[in-house]
């Protein structure tokens, strides 16, 4: 039975072997500490990558054009081509069951936007109502572009919060007021904010049809953007998005006379594919962190086993006396196991608490592009310590079993 005398024996043994016990405990504690910190960094990387994907819809697909790179049907490489409303309408009709949100975009770079005496150079983008959901934009005031604006080619504008601060310094809500876009008056009907910060809030959104008419763009558009209906799981959603991209690019290459093997002419940014690559990378990094931490812990457990062997060797006579006085083998095993479990438990919880404290104190201040708020699930860390204690018990069992098998007469003769 584990009582006060048993504790006293353990402390006496530790005092006698204090240096070896300290080094073994330090090895075990450092293993848990390193594992907890590495797991926290891994979670921080996952948080950082997830934060990057929050700026836009997590399943968005963006399409734009670039110069061709392959000669095809007598046309030289380096040829420019332009997307049109016809492309947008065809893709919409063909994939209407797959598409969740969609918008084309007409871009007017570095336009002069002014209100009374205030002015600045900003980007103007002609878009459709779904663009708000694709870009994950929140309305600060007013409303977004709607279908009536598209059909009526209304001269209405949504401005970013940065532009509101630049042009309407003393006006809390500029909705209902007019701004000049390259000297053309537009009515402000809403102010938006974007998770991407001010770099995404220096744009003016107007209806796509209005942009094409007012700025003489005809039927041309700069790029296409989509989100697709979610599937049952992540892998199926990625596969569907890849099928959609393959079908869309095949149509655009055929329509605009581009070589099928030309990989440069049509630019595609599929956020699901990007997410898949990043999460696969994070999984590999986390697996490596687990490997490093587990190897360090194993080294500590081996140290526990070794020190138990030394303790058994040094206490051979004592064990012989105990057996001569009638001690059962199970009591000898229990005596050694108690010491092994005690060392691993104290060291394990010390490493756990140290790692958690470090993440708690330093974690909130770690904000980089790819690491945000490194932390670790307490239940996972605690489970790791429990497994460590069990491993320590197993490591101590073999020296204990060896001690239990020592014959009393042999033990008493040991020098």
């Amino acid at each position: 039975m584990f009582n006060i005398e048993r504790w006293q024996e353990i402390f006496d043994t530790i005092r006698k072997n204090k240096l070896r016990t300290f080094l073994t405990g330090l090895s075990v504690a450092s293993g848990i500490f390193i594992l907890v910190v590495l797991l926290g960094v891994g979670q921080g990387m996952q948080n950082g990558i997830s934060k990057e994907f929050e700026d836009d819809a997590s399943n968005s697909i963006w399409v734009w054009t670039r110069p061709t790179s392959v000669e095809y049907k007598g046309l030289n490489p380096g040829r420019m081509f332009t997307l049109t409303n016809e492309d947008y309408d065809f893709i919409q009709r063909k994939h209407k069951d797959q598409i969740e949100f969609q918008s084309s975009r007409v871009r007017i770079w570095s336009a002069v936007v002014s209100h009374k005496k205030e002015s600045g150079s900003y980007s103007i983008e002609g878009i459709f109502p779904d663009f708000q959901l694709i870009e994950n934009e929140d309305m600060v005031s007013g409303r977004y572009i709607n279908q009536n604006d598209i059909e009526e080619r209304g001269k209405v504008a949504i401005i970013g919060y940065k532009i509101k601060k630049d042009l309407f310094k003393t006006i809390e809500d500029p909705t209902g007021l007019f701004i000049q876009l390259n000297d053309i008056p537009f009515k402000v009907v809403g102010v938006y904010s974007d998770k991407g910060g001010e770099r995404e809030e220096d744009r003016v959104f107007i209806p796509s049809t209005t942009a094409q008419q007012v700025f003489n763009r005809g039927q041309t558009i700069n790029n296409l953007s989509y989100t697709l209906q979610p599937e049952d799981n992540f892998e199926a959603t990625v596969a569907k998005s890849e099928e959609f991209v393959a079908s869309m690019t095949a149509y655009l290459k055929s329509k605009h006379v581009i070589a099928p093997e030309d990989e440069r002419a049509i630019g595609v940014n599929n956020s699901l594919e990007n997410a898949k690559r990043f999460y696969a990378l994070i999984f590999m990094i986390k697996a490596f962190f687990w490997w490093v931490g587990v190897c360090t812990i194993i080294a500590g457990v081996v140290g526990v086993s070794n020190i138990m062997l030394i303790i058994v060797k040094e206490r051979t006579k004592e064990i012989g006396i105990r057996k001569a006085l009638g001690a059962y083998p199970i009591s000898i095993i229990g005596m050694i196991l108690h010491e092994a479990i005690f060392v691993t438990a104290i060291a394990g919880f010390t490493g756990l608490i140290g790692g958690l404290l470090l993440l708690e104190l330093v974690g909130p201040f770690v904000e980089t592009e790819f690491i945000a708020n490194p932390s670790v699930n307490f239940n996972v860390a605690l489970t790791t310590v429990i497994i460590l204690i069990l491993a320590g018990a197993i490591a101590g069992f073999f020296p204990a079993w060896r001690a239990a098998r020592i014959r009393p007469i042999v033990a008493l003769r040991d020098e």
Side-chain angles (χ1 to χ4, degrees):
M1 185 176 179
F2 195 73
N3 52 31
I4 190 65
E5 288 80 8
R6 182 75 227 115
W7 278 97
Q8 188 61 47
E9 289 178 5
I10 291 174
F11 283 120
D12 290 341
T13 304
I14 290 174
R15 279 197 298 271
K16 292 176 183 177
N17 300 274
K18 56 184 178 181
L19 180 58
R20 286 192 292 263
T21 304
F22 172 76
L23 293 176
T24 303
L26 182 62
S27 175
V28 174
S30 63
I32 287 292
F33 178 82
I34 291 171
L35 179 59
V36 169
V37 171
L38 290 178
L39 291 179
V41 172
Q43 185 60 47
M45 294 179 66
Q46 184 169 325
N47 294 341
I49 296 300
S50 299
K51 187 176 180 181
E52 288 293 313
F53 282 108
E54 283 178 2
D55 292 348
D56 298 325
S58 60
N59 60 340
S60 60
I61 298 171
W62 299 82
V63 185
W64 64 95
T65 64
R66 296 183 294 201
T68 60
S69 61
V70 178
E71 181 183 355
Y72 187 62
K73 292 186 177 181
L75 299 173
N76 292 327
R79 175 174 57 92
M80 293 295 299
F81 67 100
T82 309
L83 299 173
T84 65
N85 289 344
E86 183 180 352
D87 298 327
Y88 178 71
D89 294 337
F90 178 86
I91 295 170
Q92 178 184 13
R93 290 194 304 270
K94 183 176 181 181
H95 299 281
K96 62 181 180 180
D97 294 335
Q98 291 179 266
I99 295 172
E100 180 183 33
F101 304 118
Q102 60 189 342
S103 176
S104 62
R105 183 159 60 166
V106 180
R107 307 193 77 169
I108 295 88
W109 300 97
S110 301
V112 177
V113 181
S114 60
H115 173 72
K116 295 183 179 180
K117 295 182 180 181
E118 303 291 343
S119 65
S121 178
Y122 305 100
S123 171
I124 300 173
E125 300 186 3
I127 47 87
F128 281 82
D130 283 356
F131 196 74
Q132 179 185 8
L133 300 171
I134 297 172
E135 279 275 88
N136 271 346
E137 292 163 348
D138 298 319
M139 298 306 298
V140 176
S141 61
R143 64 172 179 84
Y144 206 74
I145 300 294
N146 59 35
Q147 192 59 34
N148 285 337
D149 298 328
I150 299 292
E151 294 172 358
E152 296 173 4
R153 293 178 169 81
K155 290 184 179 179
V156 296
I158 316 296
I159 64 174
Y161 189 70
K162 179 180 183 298
I163 299 177
K164 180 263 178 190
K165 291 191 297 181
D166 292 345
L167 303 185
F168 300 92
K169 293 181 171 63
T170 60
I171 299 174
E172 185 66 27
D173 185 2
T175 56
L177 302 179
F178 283 82
I179 58 175
Q180 305 288 322
L181 305 182
N182 285 353
D183 295 326
I184 302 171
F186 277 74
K187 183 180 181 180
V188 177
V189 296
V191 178
Y192 76 90
S193 66
D194 194 290
K195 292 182 176 67
E198 289 193 348
R199 64 186 175 87
E200 299 288 344
E201 295 175 352
D202 60 353
R203 297 176 291 175
V204 178
F205 294 130
I206 63 177
S208 179
T209 50
T210 305
Q212 290 178 328
Q213 183 181 61
V214 170
F215 296 100
N216 299 318
R217 292 300 183 90
Q219 296 292 303
T220 64
I221 56 182
N222 291 90
N223 56 49
L224 307 170
S225 54
Y226 301 93
T227 64
L228 304 183
Q229 298 286 351
E231 299 295 326
D232 294 335
N233 56 67
F234 181 73
E235 293 297 330
T237 303
V238 173
K240 282 292 183 182
S241 71
E242 291 173 344
E243 290 176 11
F244 173 80
V245 168
S247 173
M248 176 178 55
T249 54
Y251 159 74
L252 292 175
K253 287 180 178 180
S254 174
K255 167 82 181 309
H256 295 280
V257 196
I258 300 169
E261 66 273 18
D262 191 341
E263 299 296 331
R264 175 175 172 76
I266 299 174
V268 177
N269 180 22
N270 185 347
S271 63
L272 282 171
E273 287 185 340
N274 296 337
K276 182 179 180 180
R277 285 194 292 269
F278 275 118
Y279 289 137
L281 176 62
I282 290 173
F283 174 80
M284 292 178 64
I285 292 173
K286 280 187 170 182
F288 174 73
F289 286 170
W290 269 103
W291 173 254
V292 172
V294 168
C295 286
T296 307
I297 291 172
I298 289 174
V301 170
V302 171
V304 171
S305 180
N306 289 335
I307 197 173
M308 289 301 108
L309 285 172
I310 294 171
I311 289 172
V312 168
K313 180 65 176 176
E314 291 181 348
R315 300 177 67 182
T316 301
K317 276 193 174 183
E318 176 191 342
I319 293 170
I321 293 171
R322 287 175 179 270
K323 295 194 71 174
L325 293 176
Y328 292 105
I330 190 65
S331 67
I332 303 299
I333 293 174
M335 177 182 69
I336 305 301
L337 281 183
H338 287 158
E339 295 172 10
I341 292 172
F342 180 81
V343 171
T344 53
I346 293 299
F349 280 109
T350 300
L352 171 64
I353 294 171
L356 293 176
L357 282 176
L358 180 64
L359 292 176
E360 187 70 23
L361 294 174
V362 178
F365 300 100
V366 178
E367 289 290 340
T368 66
E369 187 176 0
F370 293 109
I371 299 179
N373 190 26
S375 59
V376 66
N377 187 300
F378 179 77
N379 290 332
V380 172
L382 184 60
T383 301
T384 304
V385 174
I386 293 173
I387 293 173
L388 170 66
I389 294 172
L390 292 176
I394 294 172
F397 175 78
F398 295 103
W401 177 252
R402 179 182 175 183
R405 296 180 63 187
I406 296 175
R407 295 173 60 189
I409 188 63
V410 175
L412 291 172
R413 290 176 180 173
D414 184 74
E415 294 296 333

